[in-house]
Amino acid sequence: MSLTEIYRSGKTPKALYFAGAWLKSNRPGALARHELQRILRTWQDRQDAEAIAARLDFYFPLPADGKLLMPEEGSVSLHHPVIEGAHSVYLYDLRSWRKYFPAGMRLHFKAGDVFENPQVPTIIKARRLDCPGSENAIIFPLNTLRHFPHPHDAIPFSKKEPTLFFRGKIALKPGRIELVKRYYGHPGMDMADTGHSPELRQYQRPKVSIAAHFRYKYILVPEGNDVGSALGWVLGSNCVPVISKPQVEHWLMHSRLEAGRHYIEVSPDFSDLEEKLEWAESHPALCGEISEEGRRYYSQFLDSGREKIIALLILHRYFEATGQI
């Protein structure tokens, strides 16, 4: 990608991300713990304290007695987490908070995609809405490198191409395979596989940057193994997300998104895509409002200071509820 495309995409280059995460995880512990104590004393005096409290309770609703049982078996150290098979980005995200808390803090932590909710209270990227156990999924900002770029879309919605656009890997995902096969080459839609499976070669095209998506009015974001990872930056752009009702949610708080206000809703099997695209093209003003509402919703996640406070409050609540503080 060119430097312009990197800027417009709003995605942090991996080298910068890892450098920043290393610096955070190795800052002087005394300074970090002093900052945490200041935040604990003063965050409720902020003008946005009500919003912070609401999001804290959304990500981590406490039981009535305020206590959590944390089995020792399966727990890991915050300061030296060793998690077999864990992706490095998740571990870097976790380690970046270790200096804020004293040594000895332990927690249950799940890295990677979420196929089912945990059986014990666990720090995790997402919770599933389609199976039991959601109360054990304590949502935390993980894999932020992928899920939360800060897009810079300079193309107004009215100036974009009237096309429903999708690019993504579809192998081993039956719903996506059927979607691309059904609508590949369909007028008004541009859908293709970016993988390399030989049996899907006729549906494949090269990957495109986030910024390249901004040419189009409508971006289809199907859920993958858990959340649709593109949904954040689509909401943050001038495009309109086209999704089915979310079955998984993470830091973006998907269950608070409203169909017809923040996105255009389609059926889980995408059988009504033609109908919804026809509706969208006949209601340009309303779709423009959906685009604006999406950006407004996404803007609440762009205040890095507030996001840091919420993340620290989640960890502090966890250690307090489990009797470690």
Side-chain angles (χ1 to χ4, degrees):
M1 289 191 296
S2 67
L3 291 177
T4 300
E5 282 186 309
I6 292 174
Y7 169 76
R8 291 183 62 208
S9 296
K11 197 169 184 178
T12 304
K14 281 190 175 182
L16 292 180
Y17 162 79
F18 284 115
W22 185 88
L23 289 173
K24 290 176 184 176
S25 66
N26 288 282
R27 67 178 299 192
L31 292 179
R33 290 190 289 275
H34 177 77
E35 181 184 5
L36 173 62
Q37 293 306 314
R38 178 184 59 79
I39 288 172
L40 293 174
R41 290 195 307 270
T42 63
W43 75 267
Q44 295 186 47
D45 298 327
R46 290 171 55 105
Q47 291 186 340
D48 58 355
E50 186 174 341
I52 290 174
R55 286 181 59 189
L56 174 62
D57 289 336
F58 179 91
Y59 299 133
F60 187 1
L62 273 175
D65 62 3
K67 297 180 180 180
L68 291 178
L69 176 64
M70 190 199 75
E72 183 71 17
E73 183 179 358
S75 67
V76 298
S77 166
L78 174 65
H79 289 74
H80 302 285
V82 178
I83 304 170
E84 184 177 354
H87 192 285
S88 60
V89 170
Y90 288 86
L91 292 184
Y92 269 80
D93 281 340
L94 180 63
R95 288 169 182 157
S96 65
W97 304 101
R98 64 184 180 181
K99 292 295 185 176
Y100 290 91
F101 298 92
M105 298 294 100
R106 300 188 67 83
L107 72 166
H108 282 262
F109 177 75
K110 168 69 171 63
D113 293 333
V114 180
F115 297 95
E116 61 183 3
N117 290 321
Q119 296 185 358
V120 298
T122 300
I123 299 296
I124 197 168
K125 178 185 74 175
R127 69 168 66 106
R128 300 202 67 92
L129 305 173
D130 55 359
C131 66
S134 61
E135 69 279 3
N136 289 325
I138 301 168
I139 297 177
F140 199 69
L142 297 169
N143 203 1
T144 53
L145 178 64
R146 182 180 184 188
H147 290 285
F148 284 93
H150 295 186
H152 302 93
D153 181 2
I155 307 174
F157 176 78
S158 61
K159 301 297 183 182
K160 296 178 183 292
E161 296 182 21
T163 299
L164 178 61
F165 191 79
F166 168 74
R167 289 290 186 276
K169 294 181 179 179
I170 67 175
L172 305 179
K173 298 173 181 177
R176 289 191 180 189
I177 292 174
E178 177 60 29
L179 164 72
V180 172
K181 285 184 175 180
R182 180 187 297 182
Y183 295 111
Y184 186 83
H186 191 285
M189 302 184 194
D190 187 344
M191 301 191 184
D193 174 32
T194 58
H196 303 284
S197 299
E199 66 273 17
L200 297 169
R201 185 171 292 120
Q202 62 178 307
Y203 304 106
Q204 291 168 359
R205 292 189 189 176
K207 292 178 67 175
V208 300
S209 67
I210 290 175
H213 287 70
F214 298 161
R215 292 170 49 194
Y216 307 100
K217 283 186 173 181
Y218 316 107
I219 308 297
L220 182 67
V221 188
E223 290 185 330
N225 293 328
D226 48 35
V227 297
S229 59
L231 184 56
W233 58 256
V234 176
L235 284 167
S237 72
N238 295 324
C239 307
V240 170
V242 179
I243 65 173
S244 56
K245 184 177 181 180
Q247 299 302 307
V248 191
E249 64 182 357
H250 68 9
W251 197 253
L252 192 65
M253 304 190 294
H254 296 62
S255 61
R256 289 191 175 178
L257 292 168
E258 300 176 27
R261 180 182 178 188
H262 301 113
Y263 65 91
I264 295 174
E265 183 175 0
V266 295
S267 63
D269 64 358
F270 307 108
S271 58
D272 56 353
L273 274 185
E274 294 175 85
E275 173 190 338
K276 292 302 176 69
L277 183 58
E278 183 178 334
W279 174 88
E281 281 298 281
S282 62
H283 295 81
L286 182 54
C287 287
E289 292 175 8
I290 292 174
S291 173
E292 291 178 9
E293 283 291 333
R295 287 198 311 280
R296 190 173 296 116
Y297 180 89
Y298 191 66
S299 67
Q300 68 183 300
F301 305 101
L302 301 181
D303 184 329
S304 59
R306 180 167 56 206
E307 301 305 284
K308 180 178 182 178
I309 289 171
I310 297 171
L312 285 170
L313 290 176
I314 289 172
L315 289 177
H316 185 269
R317 174 177 283 191
Y318 184 93
F319 296 135
E320 190 172 51
T322 55
Q324 298 181 73
I325 294 180

